[in-house]
Amino acid sequence: MPVPWWRQTVVYQIYPRSFRDANGDGIGDLDGILEKLPYLADLGVGAIWFSPFYDSPQRDVGYDIRDYRSIAPEYGDLAKAERLIDEVHRHGMKVVMDMVMNHTSDQHPWFVESRSSRDNPKRDWYVWRDGRKPGGKAPPNNWNAMIGGSGWHHDARTDQWYWTQFLPFQPDLNYRNPAVRAEMLDTVRFWLDRGVDGFRLDIVNALFEDAEFRDNPFAWKLIPSDDDPRMLFQGSDRTLNHPDTLEFMKELRAVIDAYPGDRFLVGEVNAPIEKARAHCCDGKGLNLVFLFRSLKARLDPATIRRLVSEYDGMFPDPLLPTWVFGNHDRARRISRLGGDVAKAKLNAAWQLTARGVPFLYYGEEIGMVQVPIPARDSQDALVQNLAWVPQFVFDAIRSWMGESINRDECRTPMQWDATANAGFCPEGVRPWLPTPGDKDGRTVADQAGDPGSLLSCYRRFLHARRDHPALGRGDLRMIEAAETGEPVVGWRRSADGETVAVLLNATGRSRKVRNPAPGGSLIVSTDVDRKDAGDAELVLAPWEGLVIGAS
Ligand code: GLC
């Protein structure tokens, strides 16, 4: 049976507002993306995930949708989106749309109607509830939102509370209402009919809450961690990962499976790994879930070995892990690696050779770093929601958590060239977020023609992955440390009779190792000057990663 395309693809995430501004208004647009498709096709990615470009008041940069079936006018229109889908296909890539099913904007006509009166026909499309006391004095129960603090908001007009899992202007849809479920499945079909190949599902583990509105239990947990969003001493059993959400994942899967051409679903499930995996429903639910432990993983042999074995073991066929090192919510990986390009190359070698689907975040391939933006200038609604928090507290949180909570810092314009606006928008126009004054060679123009650049390294690994089925979709067996000698970490991948060996030197010293594939030919290395794969022994440069054809 042919292997579905998404099992062997690499997904590239575009944040539309920041990718390329073709009409010179300081924000990215669909024409800008169209212009850059040849760049992405040449880079060698297989699919593009677009963060939302639907009609939206843009208070959460499109994650607050006002109309699921039209396009924000500042980005384009529906005809332009249809053309974009076709053009991506024509360039040999697939389209992944971001589907925000949990909530809408508070300016969505459904919510405007819903909040207008208790007996409006759309009232039950959202989660409304009486407080424990009248007059807005006590919320219905103790439920906290995913971002901390009560997720209940009192609406004086009808003296009831509406529930939000995220920000107050993102009211949760009521999935216990069959009309809501039917409408959202139809929305998915609307885009499938237009040729979309897959969906990234925003905070999808939040769709259903406890039907009886029982309190969440106490938990010994103050601060959220990468794979566990519980905080402020509250568990989340009643508001996240509900069994009814898992059931709905199967319904959603049936909808996409009814279409030809292997469509797929990847879910954002902020939860411990077992709970995230549960949304795959033993192969009958989501095809993939994002795994976030890699975001902050240390770049050392022991960590790489542990994470690769763990992900591989927990996601056996037909499941498949994902490899995520950055996105529009989290600090850029290279900034966590001290801006070190050699380390970023090794990280790319890890991400693009392990078993699973890699997700690249725009700009990662040229080593774009976090751009410091003070909280008072932030356009991020999460930060604005905390407007009362003084800057020094933000700074303290930054150094404590190792990253800023100001998401603007990882969302700055793509750096196409070294001019003031980075080739994102014309000079003289003010881009919606700043680009760094000194781009320090972190641009496409600087790196495209340089074989030793990070961009060229990504391109070589992406092409190797595409050309070698073992790398693209093979199974994985760890190479024991005893076989090569410490501390190099490696694995073998095999498919269609091809086997390759991957070796990563995640240390800053050169290492002489026994060759696990003696006589094999060199497929690709982070070190562009490497000419061969050695013999019985082989010396890896500091932070070098390579792939050898083993048979
Ligand atoms: C997800 C998105 C994030 C957004 C939130 C609410 O976490 O990745 O950007 O703010 O959901 O939709």
Side-chain angles (χ1 to χ4, degrees):
M1 244 200 15
V3 178
W5 67 269
W6 58 265
R7 296 189 69 87
Q8 45 192 327
T9 197
V10 175
V11 183
Y12 184 98
Q13 180 188 357
I14 287 184
Y15 201 61
R17 208 170 191 77
S18 296
F19 200 59
R20 161 79 184 139
D21 167 19
N23 67 358
D25 60 1
I27 59 175
D29 43 48
L30 302 193
D31 276 330
I33 297 171
L34 277 162
E35 214 180 272
K36 298 297 184 185
L37 292 181
Y39 165 76
L40 295 172
D42 175 67
L43 181 60
V45 298
I48 307 174
W49 150 29
F50 298 104
S51 276
F53 50 61
Y54 315 94
D55 180 43
S56 158
Q58 304 290 349
R59 290 185 67 189
D60 190 16
V61 202
Y63 285 90
D64 48 331
I65 298 175
R66 185 163 45 200
D67 180 355
Y68 290 90
R69 301 179 189 211
S70 71
I71 307 303
E74 65 269 41
Y75 292 161
D77 56 21
L78 188 58
K80 194 58 67 63
E82 288 172 347
R83 184 159 158 239
L84 179 62
I85 295 169
D86 292 345
E87 284 295 306
V88 173
H89 289 155
R90 209 174 58 76
H91 283 84
M93 296 176 286
K94 304 282 188 184
V95 176
V96 181
M97 294 273 280
D98 211 314
M99 197 38 79
V100 187
M101 304 187 86
N102 179 66
H103 49 266
T104 67
S105 157
D106 62 357
Q107 293 179 39
H108 195 298
W110 302 335
F111 189 70
V112 174
E113 276 197 49
S114 181
R115 83 188 308 176
S116 66
S117 72
R118 286 193 184 213
D119 53 13
N120 185 278
K122 287 277 184 317
R123 183 66 167 185
D124 192 43
W125 276 47
Y126 292 83
V127 184
W128 289 99
R129 190 89 179 148
D130 286 333
R132 274 170 293 158
K133 289 186 194 143
K137 292 199 191 64
N141 60 25
N142 77 345
W143 293 355
N144 277 343
M146 205 180 260
I147 55 171
S150 174
W152 289 107
H153 308 279
H154 184 248
D155 196 56
R157 190 170 351 167
T158 54
D159 191 16
Q160 275 197 317
W161 300 68
Y162 67 90
W163 164 246
T164 75
Q165 188 56 265
F166 217 73
L167 285 155
F169 56 81
Q170 292 165 316
D172 272 41
L173 285 163
N174 176 17
Y175 276 82
R176 301 210 171 271
N177 181 336
V180 168
R181 297 201 297 276
E183 170 66 29
M184 294 314 286
L185 294 178
D186 259 357
T187 303
V188 164
R189 290 189 193 98
F190 175 87
W191 288 103
L192 289 166
D193 288 338
R194 280 162 181 74
V196 165
D197 305 284
F199 296 95
R200 177 264 185 193
L201 304 171
D202 190 73
I203 57 169
V204 74
N205 57 328
L207 298 192
F208 283 81
E209 299 80 34
D210 181 50
E212 293 158 43
F213 293 86
R214 288 169 293 184
D215 274 357
N216 261 327
F218 176 85
W220 275 113
K221 197 143 188 307
L222 176 60
I223 326 162
S225 45
D226 277 335
D227 55 5
D228 185 352
R230 292 177 308 159
M231 64 171 123
L232 304 175
F233 300 113
Q234 188 173 112
S236 52
D237 296 5
R238 308 286 189 219
T239 44
L240 292 176
N241 314 315
H242 194 282
D244 294 338
T245 298
L246 302 189
E247 281 307 306
F248 188 68
M249 296 302 95
K250 295 187 204 161
E251 269 186 65
L252 205 51
R253 173 69 176 268
V255 168
I256 65 147
D257 280 355
Y259 281 75
D262 295 321
R263 321 276 173 129
F264 88 112
L265 302 169
V266 55
E268 183 199 21
V269 181
N270 291 295
I273 199 162
E274 291 83 3
K275 287 193 176 173
R277 185 182 59 180
H279 291 73
C280 298
C281 309
D282 295 323
K284 298 187 200 73
L286 299 181
N287 302 88
L288 299 169
V289 285
F290 290 134
L291 303 175
F292 291 132
R293 211 176 285 175
S294 39
L295 287 169
K296 280 194 193 161
R298 293 165 56 118
L299 195 66
D300 65 33
T303 307
I304 298 176
R305 181 178 294 279
R306 198 174 51 241
L307 212 54
V308 170
S309 323
E310 186 183 7
Y311 279 14
D312 193 59
M314 289 193 70
F315 289 83
D317 265 2
L319 304 180
L320 193 62
T322 55
W323 288 98
V324 182
F325 286 99
N327 62 32
H328 61 292
D329 297 325
R330 303 302 302 271
R332 287 185 176 273
R333 178 69 172 166
I334 194 167
S335 294
R336 298 185 200 267
L337 301 175
D340 187 325
V341 172
K343 291 183 186 173
K345 287 181 183 171
L346 181 80
N347 204 88
W350 168 14
Q351 182 180 25
L352 297 174
T353 62
R355 175 176 164 266
V357 178
F359 284 79
L360 308 184
Y361 181 51
Y362 82 94
E364 214 160 58
E365 75 277 22
I366 50 170
M368 273 175 63
V369 292
Q370 293 287 102
V371 178
I373 296 173
R376 65 171 180 283
D377 297 335
S378 177
Q379 303 195 38
D380 180 1
L382 253 189
V383 174
Q384 289 164 2
N385 198 46
L386 298 170
W388 50 275
V389 177
Q391 179 70 41
F392 78 88
V393 176
F394 277 100
D395 294 341
I397 297 175
R398 181 203 303 263
S399 57
W400 186 31
M401 291 180 37
E403 74 183 292
S404 169
I405 57 170
N406 181 3
R407 298 177 298 175
D408 283 359
E409 299 188 358
C410 67
R411 297 172 172 178
T412 58
M414 175 69 177
Q415 293 167 195
W416 297 104
D417 63 39
T419 56
N421 285 338
F424 163 72
C425 62
E427 296 307 292
V429 169
R430 190 184 157 97
W432 82 284
L433 287 176
T435 68
D438 179 6
K439 284 150 194 94
D440 197 19
R442 300 176 191 276
T443 75
V444 173
D446 278 309
Q447 296 184 28
D450 172 5
S453 67
L454 182 60
L455 177 60
S456 299
C457 174
Y458 268 95
R459 194 173 170 279
R460 281 199 306 280
F461 273 85
L462 284 163
H463 285 238
R465 196 183 148 100
R466 202 167 61 184
D467 296 343
H468 293 270
L471 275 180
R473 59 169 185 267
D475 59 13
L476 181 143
R477 276 159 300 133
M478 293 306 289
I479 295 175
E480 295 307 322
E483 197 183 326
T484 52
E486 296 276 13
V488 165
V489 52
W491 46 83
R492 288 190 176 80
R493 309 274 319 269
S494 312
D496 299 354
E498 182 196 31
T499 295
V500 301
V502 175
L503 287 181
L504 305 180
N505 176 14
T507 76
R509 290 181 27 210
S510 63
R511 305 281 177 178
K512 190 193 259 185
V513 297
R514 283 187 294 283
N515 191 343
S521 57
L522 177 69
I523 292 179
V524 63
S525 166
T526 52
D527 181 356
V528 67
D529 294 326
R530 173 174 288 282
K531 294 287 172 282
D532 59 57
D535 209 341
E537 282 188 336
L538 137 100
V539 179
L540 273 79
W543 305 111
E544 186 184 8
L546 54 74
V547 184
I548 308 173
S551 63

